Amino acid sequence: MPTIAIVGAGPGMGLAIARTFGSRGFDVALIARTKEKLETLVDQLGREGITAAAFPADILDRASLTDALDAAKSRFGGIDVLEYSPAPHSPVPGLTLAVPSEVTVDNLQPHIEYNLYGAITAARTVLPGMREAGAGTLLFTTGGGSVDPVPMFGNVNAAAAALRNWVINLDKELAGSGVHAAHVVINVWIGENGPEGAPTATPEQIAPLYWDLHESRDRSEAVFNA
């Protein structure tokens, strides 16, 4: 069975992506901070006939993220697809918002750690095995601000844009290796209770885009718009 590792797994996009790949024969490794939340998702997927396992890790603790991915590789015999989409739905210590004129090293660095350094750590953990196998997919997610920044997210957007740049460049480096990297831009509010007038979409509407990127392998970026 091929395996997808979902870093930042939750009951929204993470679960939808797990179902999208799991229904197509993938085992699923779920990685996030909260063990209880992950175990709930594992049980839910299991009832749907999808084999999943929980690997708790703090993305801001690079050693714990590496350990979780290594444990997933041991459990499932390798990782064929990595999907990285951490999105804090509860306060994460050190992560604050700042408009561009108020961005400082101190309020930007945690977002760099969360978005870019976490992604690099995850990729470097699974990439050697993918290169050896001559096959693999690396998928990374940001919001629309990585392409069209919004002032209230000045520090977040800067970190997300750095991740986007790195992913697209990584895919160029990997050309011809059998390993594919791609960036997903979600340019809508996911789910309910979004800002008035904002375009929205459900996780189930967005998740098939990840499968398309895994299958097509000819694009380093895809944008989901309403």
Side-chain angles (χ1 to χ4, degrees):
M1 285 281 193
T3 299
I4 181 171
I6 300 173
V7 180
M13 282 306 308
L15 180 58
I17 294 168
R19 284 171 167 157
T20 296
F21 281 79
S23 65
R24 291 167 171 83
F26 274 70
D27 292 333
V28 181
L30 300 171
I31 299 172
R33 286 187 300 164
T34 308
K35 181 179 179 181
E36 293 75 15
K37 177 180 72 175
L38 292 177
E39 290 177 343
T40 298
L41 298 179
V42 168
D43 291 342
Q44 190 169 349
L45 291 167
R47 290 193 296 272
E48 298 172 15
I50 297 170
T51 300
F55 302 91
D58 183 348
I59 290 166
L60 291 171
D61 179 349
R62 291 194 286 277
S64 79
L65 178 54
T66 297
D67 288 345
L69 287 164
D70 283 340
K73 287 189 288 184
S74 296
R75 166 68 173 80
F76 292 114
I79 294 173
D80 303 275
V81 178
L82 170 72
E83 194 280 317
Y84 185 89
S85 58
H89 297 289
S90 57
V92 175
L95 295 185
T96 59
L97 299 180
V99 297
S101 63
E102 295 179 0
V103 171
T104 65
V105 170
D106 289 338
N107 65 36
L108 174 58
Q109 183 63 32
H111 290 285
I112 294 288
E113 295 274 354
Y114 194 76
N115 286 279
L116 180 61
Y117 294 170
I120 291 172
T121 297
R124 286 180 59 83
T125 305
V126 302
L127 189 52
M130 291 180 177
R131 277 180 154 152
E132 183 177 353
T137 303
L138 304 161
L139 301 171
F140 304 86
T141 305
T142 68
S146 64
V147 178
D148 183 13
V150 179
M152 71 175 291
F153 300 112
N155 51 353
V156 180
N157 290 168
L163 172 58
R164 174 179 182 257
N165 179 285
W166 175 77
V167 173
I168 292 171
N169 209 18
L170 175 63
D171 190 53
K172 292 178 181 179
E173 178 194 349
L174 294 172
S177 70
V179 184
H180 171 52
H183 176 239
V184 178
V185 183
I186 300 179
N187 201 26
V188 297
W189 183 272
I190 303 172
E192 301 176 346
N193 304 316
E196 185 176 353
T200 64
T202 66
E204 291 72 23
Q205 290 173 311
I206 301 169
L209 180 61
Y210 291 82
W211 181 259
D212 291 345
L213 281 172
H214 167 62
E215 284 283 277
S216 66
R217 314 187 69 78
D218 60 355
R219 290 182 293 168
S220 60
E221 183 167 69
V223 181
F224 187 94
N225 290 305

